[in-house]
Amino acid sequence: MVTSYTERAFIIFFRFTMGWTFLYAASHQVFEPNWSAVAFLQHTKTFHELFQIFTTPMMAPTTSFLVKYGHLLIGLSLISGLLVRVSASFGALLMLLYWLAHMDWPFIENKNNFIIDYHIVYAGVLGYLIATRAGTVFGLDGWLERRAAGSSAISRAAAR
């Protein structure tokens, strides 16, 4: 259980900043009718064959839809604090996939990032949000949890 003011402040900060990161990415994708994930996926190096599957004419529309609306839903979830453990899990998975896609082993994206880059840091922050049940800190997960506990107490009292 999160008890200290400082820990709650960090959880809220990380939840909002990660939520904003996903929402900002979605804003460039969802509202751009011609946006596609294909351009990003065609420039992969280390695991090119793996990611190439998602750029085929049959898969590209589905891949693009899942990426842009995945970003939107993850961002909204993190900002609102609703289903944070679920959305943060998907967010961490996406970050690990992006890390692999940027990899030109042992460098990530460019020669300045040796094995570790911001995708790994983001995945770690999302893992922290999962572990601390961040949605219960000033979020809708906590509100729903308190509401369910209150209705359980009312049900038990009525049964007596």
Side-chain angles (χ1 to χ4, degrees):
M1 185 71 166
V2 178
T3 55
S4 80
Y5 172 80
T6 304
E7 189 173 7
R8 287 193 307 268
F10 273 117
I11 288 169
I12 292 167
F13 171 77
F14 287 133
R15 209 181 79 216
F16 278 46
T17 54
M18 288 306 304
W20 173 254
T21 300
F22 281 99
L23 280 178
Y24 188 71
S27 74
H28 296 299
Q29 299 161 352
V30 171
F31 301 113
E32 174 61 46
N34 297 322
W35 184 87
S36 174
V38 171
F40 171 74
L41 293 173
Q42 285 180 333
H43 293 95
T44 59
K45 294 178 183 163
T46 302
F47 297 103
H48 185 70
E49 295 77 23
L50 170 69
F51 291 104
Q52 190 175 16
I53 296 165
F54 299 104
T55 65
T56 63
M58 185 92 131
M59 285 294 298
T62 303
T63 302
S64 296
F65 177 86
L66 290 174
V67 168
K68 61 185 172 181
Y69 287 102
H71 284 163
L72 179 65
L73 292 174
I74 292 167
L76 290 172
S77 171
L78 292 173
I79 295 289
S80 68
L82 180 64
L83 300 172
V84 170
R85 294 173 87 185
V86 173
S87 65
S89 297
F90 281 111
L93 177 64
L94 269 177
M95 289 300 109
L96 294 174
L97 286 171
Y98 295 164
W99 176 73
L100 288 172
H102 277 278
M103 187 179 292
D104 186 8
W105 185 257
F107 301 102
I108 312 299
E109 195 168 8
N110 59 50
K111 301 292 182 196
N112 294 327
N113 296 308
F114 185 72
I115 302 173
I116 304 296
D117 78 337
Y118 64 95
H119 293 101
I120 295 296
V121 175
Y122 287 170
V125 169
L126 291 165
Y128 172 75
L129 295 176
I130 294 165
T132 58
R133 300 182 62 229
T136 62
V137 179
F138 193 64
L140 292 176
D141 285 345
W143 179 78
L144 288 172
E145 193 175 279
R146 287 186 300 278
R147 185 171 176 174
S151 64
S152 298
I154 292 169
S155 299
R156 284 191 304 269
R160 291 182 193 164

